Amino acid sequence: MVKLQINGKTVEAREGEMLLAVMQRMGIEVPTQCHHEAIEPTGNCRLCMVEITKKNWDGWKKCVTSCLYPVEEGLIVETHNDKLFEIRKTILDLQLARSPHSDYVAKMASEYGLEKSSYPVEPQGDDCIMCYACTRICDVLGKSAIAPTMRGHEKIVAGPFGEAPPDCIGCLSCAFICPTDHIKWNDKGNTRTIWDKKFKLIKCKKCGKKTITREFADYLIEKRELPSEYFDTCDICKRQETADTMGALVVKAREATI
Amino acid sequence: MKIDSIAKLDKWRKEIQTKQKAIKTKILICLGPGCLAGGSDKILKEFQTILKKKKIKDVLVESVKKTGCHGFCARGPMVIIEPLGIFYSKVKKVHVKDIIEKTLQKGEIIEKLLYKDPDTDKIYKEWRKIPFYARQQKIALRNVGQIDPDEITDYIVNGGYSALAKILKGMKPDEVIDQVSKSGLRGRGGAGFSTGRKWVTCAKAEENPHYVLCNGDEGDPGAFMDRCIMEGDPHTVLEGMIICAYAVGSQEGYIYVREEYPLAVVNLQKAIDDARKFGLLGDNILGTDLCFDLKISKGGGAFVCGESSALMRSVAGEIGEPRAKYVRSVLKGLHDKPTVLNNVETFANIPVIIEKGADWFAAIGTKKSTGTKAFSLAGKIKNTGLIEVPMGIKLKEIIYDIGGGINDNRKFKAVQTGGPSGGCLPADKLDLEVDFDTLADNGSMMGSGGMVVMDDRTCMVDVSRYFLNFLVEESCGKCVPCREGLFQLHKLNEKICEGKGTEDELKLMENLSKTIISGSLCGLGQSGPNPFLSTIMYFRDEYEAHVKKQECPGGVCKKLITYKINDDCNGCMACLSVCAASAITGKKKEQHTIDEVKCDRCGACYAVCNINAIDII
Amino acid sequence: MKYCFQVIPELCTGCRTCELACAFKYAKDGKPGRSRIYPLAHAKDQYVPVVCFQCDDAACVRACMFDALRRNDETGAVELDKERCVKCEACVAACPFGCALTDTDQNEIVKCDLCQGDPVCARFCPEAALKYVEIED
Ligand SMILES: Cc1cc2nc3c(=O)[nH]c(=O)nc-3n(C[C@H](O)[C@H](O)[C@H](O)COP(=O)(O)O)c2cc1C
Ligand code: SF4
């Protein structure tokens, strides 16, 4: 265990734990965009920055992203002060100019008193805030079908060579994890479309309800050694099957006792 | 032939010495980037062809040597005849015959090819005496321009690999590190971190394996120090890295070179192959227990790939994007293993430090910045080129004594040091001593050693815009403050150049800069606002002229200037013929006029008029 | 001490109290059908309360690529970590018993976690067809 001080309070934390986790446990709120429990932290959004120092640093302070900074013995952490407020506000201000149509950004910015950006707004700016949540979740999935490409202000997330990603299995994890709902997809009939790629949806063999894509199911079957018949029926029909099977057992048992 | 003992290396060196003694006269032909552009490869061929047919006393075909950059790029292509050190500059292919027939055969000097100091009209016969060279002290560049980079024998005969032999003969790894620490050597890649401290940390790290990496990315536009070392003296980089590997206990290393440096890749690969062939790389180096091998890793040439974490990811085959890390890469670097990453020039200093000792090195330069530093001189300066000077030298000595002063003897305005994210220093800082800390204290930085000199016709607002534009394009785009912040900073800067900026926006820019500095993930963003901050620090009046009066005092910002032809015009028609926009009218021998509307302010007329009949208003 | 959740279908009358109790505890507006337990008829007037078996080698746990489903060793339940879940529905598709589902109203994956060791359904079942009992290790 490691002892450190956050906003004047002494806390204990596990070795290797990140500051953000400890802060969240203490109920301290800092804004985050790129943070998600299921993925590795990368420190893209910079909003969770805190200021750290140590007794022997002679008053020298340093801004670090708390999602990535492992706890250290004797660390003194400040999570809210004027400087940090200014950093967070400026970041949101910049995003407001870049993604003027995003409700998500607008809501976060309004918490810092920002109704409109101080910078020239880009009317065509899309909602992608480059948090990499989508690419990171795809990495965790083991597919890495999409990745950030190009650089600087032109950077986008896309499949290789900007084309439909060959490795995508249409699981929608990227779209679901996207904080700004920038990643668009749709299900029409038996077909799902995402990243300009089309997928067949599995139809429940009993009721016809659509479940996940064939590619996603096959991936799970292979990767996680699951029996393929689990994926043939939808959850509702599987529940009924369960009732029927158990019911039959009860009936059988009852008949046996008579 | 494997050189499998130190004794054999010494013997080999003696053999080469005897052999090379036979070649009395040497004709060094610089194939550095500057001279090559001037056609020095053709000059080399011409020498070889003619000498093959001619018999001259003391001159053989082997006398002709191609070398790396000799430094004085402004005077290239150059041919140097040793041992006399005769310096022929601006040589063309047609001169070769003359040089052979007059100088080599008869010992005559061809005066028109010699260097003439434009200020004093003094003619110099020997290159070492030329002010450009006289003030320099070469350590990292000691062999560059002197030896044929393809020949391992050239390196060895000049004392190459003797530092390696020295440590293998009788120095323990910690003694090697001790020497490096004591020498005070600081990283030449920009940050100036103590090389010794880096090595100690890696050596002590318990995890294995340890890696040694060399940073040859050199992304700064206009900088070519590292390129010249890799191209002109590749073995010194290898030797430095092998010594490092011995000191920190590594068996595997990589040299990261950008793809835009194909010759550096070729020369380094040749050096690696040769070193392997002779047993200087690979298993049991020089017959000892030391095993170390090297590979070249080619980078796609993004500026940000020079950043340590991005470089390591790129070497590992991942996207070359910086990684936020609060664990130092010396402990968790390449493949998350302890890694020493040093710059090319840093490694090039190592063999000399080992050979001559830490005290010798520490005595050069200043107390906190020891040794020398290579710079590439560029911009509006007479003697552009590659130089190496002791730390602590004054800026004005570099610019006026070595650099020869400003082109056309115009007024000096500023010098930009430290590459794109460095800063600009004005005339009253010319007395500054160039070292890591002084430059940083004055709002600039050492960086990797680019130096761009600007004259009075430069607009500092435009300079800031130019460098910000570079950084916006090179930002990897991963984190918000750098991607969006530098983008907006550049846009606001552009607005000022167009005369549309406001005072509020200037304030906004200053505040934004603060967030970019403390909020960005890697060094690129953290130093990104420097071009703006250092120019507004020293040239606020220029910003204010743009904002308050819509004027560009430097006469550069197109939207704020007009070209006008004055009464001095003699109707020579020179301007009329260069104007691509056909904006100039006028009859021969009569005063011309410029149509303000048609004029696109390219400045071609201004440049071509040699009676100063065009004003910028 | 270990507990075990028991379902005794013979005692179930299909009164749906369990479903309501669960829905009130978890779903929006107490909407049944979004509960985690489903008393289903398998024949006329004969019911089985279908609920997660907390399988030892659970298909849902295997299917989750993001490690959002983990066993709570104290209660024995497989629990969903909402912070890790991205709602990809792999678990829903994989559970052979249909006991993981999506609450579209609340946009989340729903799965029985034995109410952290105090299952409301068992508490409210008037027929004692659902029991949370202590077992020996
Ligand atoms: C954006 C950026 C670009 C860099 N580019 C280079 C480079 O081109 N060459 C280099 O040697 N160091 C470069 N560096 C510095 C390296 O990160 C690192 O500090 C250096 O290679 C360490 O070697 P040294 O201690 O020998 O200087 C760069 C740093 C940043 C932040
Ligand atoms: S500071 Fe710039 S270059 Fe560095 S990680 Fe952030 S966006 Fe990329």
Side-chain angles (χ1 to χ4, degrees):
Chain A
M1 291 303 252
V2 175
K3 255 206 195 107
L4 66 159
Q5 214 186 72
I6 303 182
N7 293 347
K9 269 196 208 120
T10 305
V11 281
E12 284 206 342
R14 259 179 300 111
E15 192 116 7
E17 211 173 353
M18 295 300 162
L19 282 180
L20 182 64
V22 184
M23 281 151 51
Q24 284 174 340
R25 203 162 54 231
M26 292 168 74
I28 298 171
E29 275 185 35
V30 289
T32 61
Q33 290 177 336
C34 63
H35 178 76
H36 191 282
E37 289 295 332
I39 46 184
E40 290 287 315
T42 55
N44 284 27
C45 77
R46 324 298 295 162
L47 285 170
C48 71
M49 281 208 144
V50 294
E51 212 167 23
I52 57 165
T53 185
K54 275 190 180 176
K55 279 240 164 66
N56 57 3
W57 284 7
D58 294 330
W60 187 67
K61 289 179 178 180
K62 180 162 108 174
C63 286
V64 298
T65 43
S66 58
C67 64
L68 277 165
Y69 201 92
V71 293
E72 274 171 31
E73 185 68 40
L75 203 64
I76 302 165
V77 185
E78 228 179 302
T79 67
H80 291 78
N81 60 28
D82 290 350
K83 182 175 181 188
L84 293 167
F85 182 86
E86 202 50 46
I87 292 178
R88 290 176 191 144
K89 183 172 166 177
T90 306
I91 288 172
L92 291 164
D93 202 351
L94 290 165
Q95 286 186 329
L96 218 45
R98 169 64 222 274
S99 303
H101 311 297
S102 165
D103 297 337
Y104 173 83
V105 171
K107 185 159 170 281
M108 283 184 103
S110 74
E111 281 165 29
Y112 283 77
L114 290 162
E115 294 313 322
K116 66 184 239 312
S117 181
S118 321
Y119 303 95
V121 167
E122 294 167 64
Q124 311 93 312
D126 62 24
D127 290 354
C128 178
I129 53 167
M130 275 305 145
C131 66
Y132 291 10
C134 51
T135 65
R136 283 179 289 153
I137 200 77
C138 199
D139 291 343
V140 177
L141 192 80
K143 277 295 180 187
S144 304
I146 46 171
T149 41
M150 324 245 264
R151 53 173 191 245
H153 202 252
E154 262 75 63
K155 190 162 221 165
I156 50 163
V157 170
F161 311 108
E163 285 169 19
D167 290 335
C168 176
I169 51 176
C171 71
L172 302 188
S173 297
C174 53
F176 290 147
I177 203 170
C178 174
T180 64
D181 284 332
H182 172 63
I183 301 174
K184 299 288 180 253
W185 57 281
N186 69 66
D187 284 355
K188 265 200 200 113
N190 294 338
T191 313
R192 166 170 298 170
T193 314
I194 184 165
W195 295 112
D196 289 332
K197 194 175 170 182
K198 293 203 175 342
F199 299 90
K200 271 252 132 26
L201 290 166
I202 297 176
K203 256 167 87 175
C204 170
K205 72 175 185 212
K206 289 211 169 123
C207 71
K209 180 182 153 185
K210 262 66 111 209
T211 64
I212 59 176
T213 64
R214 186 69 255 166
E215 287 82 351
F216 188 21
D218 288 344
Y219 185 64
L220 294 171
I221 290 163
E222 187 214 316
K223 199 92 188 165
R224 294 294 168 101
E225 295 175 17
L226 286 160
S228 80
E229 59 271 21
Y230 286 6
F231 295 88
D232 293 344
T233 20
C234 74
D235 58 323
I236 303 172
C237 295
K238 282 192 283 195
R239 283 201 287 282
Q240 189 58 54
E241 273 174 24
T242 310
D244 294 345
T245 321
M246 280 175 71
L249 285 175
V250 171
V251 173
K252 219 182 204 165
R254 199 187 301 142
E255 278 164 2
T257 49
I258 294 174
Chain B
M1 175 181 66
K2 269 249 183 323
I3 309 293
D4 55 8
S5 73
I6 292 161
K8 267 197 190 162
L9 178 70
D10 292 339
K11 201 173 138 232
W12 189 32
R13 197 189 317 277
K14 287 218 179 75
E15 280 168 24
I16 309 167
Q17 263 161 3
T18 329
K19 226 189 260 168
Q20 293 213 351
K21 265 201 191 117
I23 312 168
K24 292 238 165 62
T25 308
K26 272 191 213 154
I27 304 142
L28 305 180
I29 296 165
C30 171
L31 289 193
C35 292
L36 201 56
S40 61
D41 50 339
K42 293 194 191 83
I43 296 169
L44 174 81
K45 270 229 182 73
E46 184 77 356
F47 264 109
Q48 286 167 334
T49 341
I50 301 182
L51 286 180
K52 241 181 234 153
K53 292 183 226 143
K54 261 197 165 71
K55 278 254 163 349
I56 304 172
K57 189 171 171 282
D58 291 338
V59 181
L60 310 164
V61 179
E62 294 87 78
S63 294
V64 187
K65 274 196 182 298
K66 61 170 192 299
T67 72
C69 179
H70 203 270
F72 205 169
C73 306
R75 309 297 302 180
M78 56 188 117
V79 172
I80 290 162
I81 300 165
E82 297 283 19
L84 292 177
I86 301 167
F87 180 85
Y88 287 149
S89 67
K90 301 224 170 183
V91 178
K92 296 205 177 74
K93 197 175 143 191
V94 292
H95 298 135
V96 174
K97 208 161 146 250
D98 255 12
I99 297 177
I100 292 175
E101 285 172 0
K102 291 194 178 141
T103 311
L104 294 179
Q105 274 184 314
K106 301 187 201 144
E108 282 172 27
I109 302 290
I110 307 169
E111 199 155 301
K112 66 169 191 208
L113 290 178
L114 291 176
Y115 172 73
K116 182 166 130 192
D117 190 310
D119 293 331
T120 60
D121 281 346
K122 193 174 164 195
I123 290 172
Y124 293 85
K125 199 176 95 180
E126 198 195 337
W127 65 270
R128 288 181 187 86
K129 301 253 168 70
I130 299 173
F132 176 80
Y133 290 107
R135 293 299 312 266
Q136 296 192 46
Q137 179 172 10
K138 297 203 173 185
I139 298 177
L141 301 173
R142 64 196 179 282
N143 289 326
V144 181
Q146 308 295 328
I147 65 167
D148 181 343
D150 279 351
E151 300 294 340
I152 189 171
T153 50
D154 268 24
Y155 183 64
I156 289 188
V157 80
N158 281 300
Y161 290 110
S162 54
L164 177 64
K166 181 174 174 182
I167 61 161
L168 292 178
K169 222 186 290 179
M171 281 172 87
K172 293 205 191 71
D174 48 356
E175 287 170 335
V176 175
I177 298 181
D178 201 43
Q179 283 295 303
V180 175
S181 299
K182 271 206 196 127
S183 76
L185 177 67
R186 293 170 69 173
R188 302 300 195 232
F193 190 78
S194 154
T195 307
R197 279 235 311 269
K198 203 183 265 186
W199 288 20
V200 175
T201 318
C202 182
K204 282 198 186 138
E206 276 170 18
E207 252 192 292
N208 273 310
H210 295 185
Y211 292 105
V212 174
L213 298 186
C214 174
N215 191 340
D217 189 57
E218 197 164 55
D220 304 14
F224 53 93
M225 300 76 56
D226 295 348
R227 169 180 181 173
C228 288
I229 296 176
M230 291 186 286
E231 287 181 1
D233 190 15
H235 282 285
T236 188
V237 182
L238 305 201
E239 188 176 358
M241 290 181 77
I242 302 168
I243 292 170
C244 174
Y246 175 77
V248 304
S250 164
Q251 305 206 330
E252 201 179 330
Y254 294 88
I255 308 179
Y256 188 84
V257 193
R258 54 175 38 220
E259 248 169 9
E260 283 97 326
Y261 287 176
L263 186 61
V265 174
V266 170
N267 288 5
L268 280 168
Q269 192 58 54
K270 170 89 169 61
I272 291 173
D273 294 343
D274 283 348
R276 258 191 221 133
K277 191 168 87 193
F278 292 109
L280 293 159
L281 266 182
D283 289 345
N284 303 101
I285 293 173
L286 289 177
T288 64
D289 292 340
L290 177 62
C291 303
F292 178 67
D293 211 349
L294 265 177
K295 279 198 198 86
I296 294 177
S297 175
K298 280 189 272 182
F303 175 64
V304 76
C305 282
E307 194 275 340
S308 53
S309 66
L311 183 142
M312 288 174 194
R313 286 179 76 176
S314 185
V315 170
E318 296 167 34
I319 300 178
E321 233 175 44
R323 193 169 72 170
K325 40 150 204 215
Y326 293 115
V327 187
R328 279 183 302 144
S329 60
V330 211
L331 296 175
K332 280 199 185 305
L334 183 62
H335 305 303
D336 276 342
K337 296 286 187 265
T339 304
V340 167
L341 169 70
N342 275 132
N343 167 261
V344 170
E345 193 186 331
T346 314
F347 279 124
N349 275 301
I350 298 290
V352 188
I353 291 174
I354 297 297
E355 184 84 342
K356 302 201 175 173
D359 296 336
W360 173 84
F361 189 85
I364 304 165
T366 62
K367 212 161 169 218
K368 281 181 157 176
S369 302
T370 55
T372 55
K373 177 80 193 81
F375 290 99
S376 54
L377 282 183
K380 305 278 172 58
I381 191 168
K382 282 182 192 147
N383 302 339
T384 52
L386 175 72
I387 61 164
E388 184 172 349
V389 287
M391 297 268 192
I393 189 170
K394 290 200 167 102
L395 266 176
K396 68 170 180 215
E397 291 176 87
I398 297 185
I399 293 167
Y400 288 96
D401 299 349
I402 297 175
I406 313 302
N407 275 344
D408 305 330
N409 291 332
R410 293 196 73 96
K411 225 176 117 211
F412 167 90
K413 185 176 214 170
V415 57
Q416 209 268 359
T417 69
S421 41
C424 296
L425 297 167
D428 60 4
K429 299 282 175 189
L430 278 173
D431 275 321
L432 281 191
E433 294 185 348
V434 176
D435 67 27
F436 286 104
D437 310 299
T438 316
L439 287 181
D441 291 346
N442 285 280
S444 186
M445 60 186 202
M446 180 75 90
S448 55
M451 226 178 239
V452 185
V453 178
M454 301 163 195
D455 67 9
D456 56 350
R457 275 185 296 183
T458 317
C459 166
M460 299 317 287
V461 184
D462 186 63
V463 167
S464 165
R465 182 201 56 79
Y466 171 82
F467 284 112
L468 284 178
N469 185 47
F470 174 85
L471 292 169
V472 167
E473 277 175 14
E474 292 296 333
S475 155
C476 85
K478 178 170 172 161
C479 67
V480 187
C482 172
R483 180 186 67 239
E484 305 300 340
L486 286 179
F487 177 81
Q488 294 289 2
L489 198 62
H490 172 248
K491 270 223 283 211
L492 292 168
N493 200 147
E494 234 171 13
K495 263 180 91 179
I496 299 178
C497 290
E498 290 169 5
K500 293 184 195 144
T502 64
E503 281 171 73
D504 282 348
E505 281 173 355
L506 261 187
K507 251 184 236 123
L508 185 65
M509 285 171 79
E510 283 173 285
N511 278 336
L512 174 58
S513 299
K514 282 189 209 144
T515 294
I516 302 176
I517 291 170
S518 41
S520 291
L521 190 155
C522 83
L524 193 152
Q526 285 157 8
S527 59
N530 278 2
F532 167 68
L533 291 177
S534 78
T535 47
I536 197 159
M537 173 151 85
Y538 294 118
F539 302 95
R540 186 173 278 273
D541 50 333
E542 285 197 30
Y543 279 88
E544 286 177 350
H546 282 73
V547 169
K548 289 185 187 158
K549 295 189 261 173
Q550 280 73 47
E551 275 172 16
C552 175
V556 173
C557 293
K558 286 186 183 177
K559 293 264 163 75
L560 304 181
I561 54 166
T562 38
Y563 290 93
K564 262 219 165 75
I565 298 178
N566 60 33
D567 297 346
D568 292 343
C569 175
N570 59 10
C572 76
M573 316 265 303
C575 56
L576 191 146
S577 55
V578 294
C579 179
S582 311
I584 303 179
T585 47
K587 291 202 182 102
K588 204 167 183 176
K589 298 207 173 144
E590 282 173 26
Q591 188 176 349
H592 287 28
T593 46
I594 299 177
D595 182 340
E596 243 183 74
V597 184
K598 277 191 187 164
C599 168
D600 58 15
R601 277 111 184 133
C602 70
C605 54
Y606 184 77
V608 82
C609 179
N610 47 26
I611 56 164
N612 286 332
I614 299 179
D615 298 326
I616 302 176
I617 335 177
Chain C
M1 208 132 14
K2 268 199 168 168
Y3 288 89
C4 171
F5 189 81
Q6 275 184 353
V7 179
I8 309 152
E10 293 90 324
L11 300 180
C12 176
T13 60
C15 73
R16 318 204 93 150
T17 313
C18 56
E19 191 177 1
L20 271 175
C22 184
F24 267 111
K25 179 150 183 187
Y26 296 105
K28 216 177 177 176
D29 315 326
K31 242 190 215 166
R34 298 277 183 247
S35 91
R36 295 132 202 242
I37 185 161
Y38 324 92
L40 295 175
H42 60 91
K44 193 170 186 309
D45 292 338
Q46 293 188 49
Y47 297 88
V48 174
V50 177
V51 67
C52 174
F53 291 95
Q54 318 293 354
C55 318
D56 280 343
D57 179 10
C60 59
V61 175
R62 278 216 216 173
C64 183
M65 301 299 292
F66 312 121
D67 214 9
L69 287 159
R70 284 188 217 166
R71 182 161 322 265
N72 178 334
D73 283 328
E74 253 163 58
T75 61
V78 171
E79 292 177 358
L80 177 81
D81 181 347
K82 280 191 200 162
E83 299 293 313
R84 296 183 76 90
C85 171
V86 296
K87 302 157 196 115
C88 70
E89 297 188 324
C91 52
V92 178
C95 175
F97 309 112
C99 287
L101 69 155
T102 312
D103 181 337
T104 40
D105 283 0
Q106 284 177 207
N107 188 24
E108 60 184 34
I109 299 293
V110 161
K111 178 199 167 299
C112 171
D113 65 350
L114 296 174
C115 297
Q116 302 289 321
D118 178 19
V120 279
C121 52
R123 219 183 320 140
F124 281 89
C125 177
E127 311 298 334
L130 303 169
K131 277 190 208 156
Y132 194 51
V133 292
E134 218 174 280
I135 51 159
E136 278 158 39
D137 280 334

